[in-house]
Amino acid sequence: MAIPLITAAIGAIGTFLSAAGPAICRFGTALMAKLPVVLDTINKVVQIVTSVAQLFGVLSPDEDLEELGAKACQADKNSEDFKTNEAYINYLRNEVTLDHEAYAKRGDMECMAHMAAGVSVVSQGVQEKTGVEITPDFWVEATRLSLSAAEVGKAISAFGKSGDLGVFVDYLKGDLGLEQKLQAGEIIKDVVSELNPTWSQAEVEGAVQNMCAKARNNEWEQEA
């Protein structure tokens, strides 16, 4: 089982993230605190976040999330200086030139900080596009379950209608009361069924049960 990031590592990453501003630093450090100390793990998060951000039009197909995060960490302005996240991302794209020499020499802690910053930036972009709050917990569970961008996108849209995407994570972890559990379960089954229209009800329910079992058994940590 992978070892969680130790306090010293979180502190080092937080130091790099602090340059990107308080909002990005809070989100990025919260995300990293939930991950094993394995560079490949944050890479997996970046892959799913990038795909989802492209799905919602926050990133273009050729954009590199880590480079965007690196720009956020070296920029003179941060997200709090802009009225919209879209304006902030356009600023990073068009007005901030990446320090390629420093970027090429970055160590593992700085690399993870850049990835965490990038995840934070585009998460705010997805939130702005959908009106649904995106939390570090959500990305962690989506990545641990190896959900596709389509599955994540459907979950965001479906749970966004109820006003709380956090219910998705709580359902998987078994942290809901009976009434909320029943409501959330129906939403998740609808999402799975919509993405797999040829599946029987039993297959849909089996897939949802497997998701819950994997989330509760901490399988991602074992695989990492």
Side-chain angles (χ1 to χ4, degrees), residues 48 52 55 138 142 145-157 168 191-192 195-196 199 211:
I48 185 62
V52 173
L55 182 69
F138 177 73
L145 294 169
S146 300
L147 298 183
S148 68
E151 289 171 325
V152 173
K154 288 289 186 182
I156 290 173
S157 299
F168 174 77
V191 168
V192 174
L195 289 166
N196 303 279
W199 284 12
M211 289 169 61

Side-chain angles (χ1 to χ4, degrees), residues 26-45:
R26 282 194 301 271
F27 191 102
T29 52
L31 174 68
M32 296 307 299
K34 299 175 184 297
L35 300 177
V37 62
V38 179
L39 185 57
D40 184 55
T41 304
I42 181 62
N43 264 310
K44 292 177 182 177
V45 177

Side-chain angles (χ1 to χ4, degrees), residues 5-192:
L5 280 167
I6 59 174
T7 303
I10 291 292
I13 292 171
T15 298
F16 290 118
L17 282 171
S18 63
I24 289 176
C25 187
R26 282 194 301 271
F27 191 102
T29 52
L31 174 68
M32 296 307 299
K34 299 175 184 297
L35 300 177
V37 62
V38 179
L39 185 57
D40 184 55
T41 304
I42 181 62
N43 264 310
K44 292 177 182 177
V45 177
V46 165
Q47 288 170 13
I48 185 62
V49 173
T50 297
S51 297
V52 173
Q54 291 171 350
L55 182 69
F56 284 104
V58 176
L59 291 180
S60 61
D62 60 341
E63 280 192 285
D64 187 301
L65 184 146
E66 185 182 351
E67 288 190 7
L68 192 69
K71 284 185 174 184
C73 290
Q74 73 170 63
D76 293 328
K77 298 179 181 179
N78 56 52
S79 60
E80 286 82 359
D81 295 316
F82 297 85
K83 291 183 178 179
T84 66
N85 186 265
E86 183 178 9
Y88 175 53
I89 290 179
N90 284 332
Y91 159 73
L92 295 176
R93 283 175 178 147
N94 304 321
E95 298 184 43
V96 179
T97 301
L98 183 67
D99 184 339
H100 290 284
E101 183 177 353
Y103 188 72
K105 295 178 180 178
R106 69 198 185 286
D108 284 353
M109 292 298 107
E110 191 170 10
C111 179
M112 287 191 280
H114 291 163
M115 291 182 181
V119 169
S120 178
V121 171
V122 302
S123 293
Q124 292 301 310
V126 173
Q127 181 168 314
E128 188 171 87
K129 289 272 188 179
T130 63
V132 181
E133 182 181 2
I134 311 294
T135 65
D137 269 343
F138 177 73
W139 290 130
V140 168
E141 292 308 315
T143 307
R144 289 208 308 124
L145 294 169
S146 300
L147 298 183
S148 68
E151 289 171 325
V152 173
K154 288 289 186 182
I156 290 173
S157 299
F159 279 90
K161 293 176 184 176
S162 67
D164 190 357
L165 185 59
V167 171
F168 174 77
V169 176
D170 291 339
Y171 176 86
L172 295 177
K173 292 182 176 180
D175 293 338
L176 295 178
L178 180 59
E179 184 176 351
Q180 276 192 307
K181 178 182 177 181
L182 292 173
Q183 292 174 347
E186 289 303 313
I187 294 173
I188 293 177
K189 282 188 283 187
D190 287 345
V191 168
V192 174

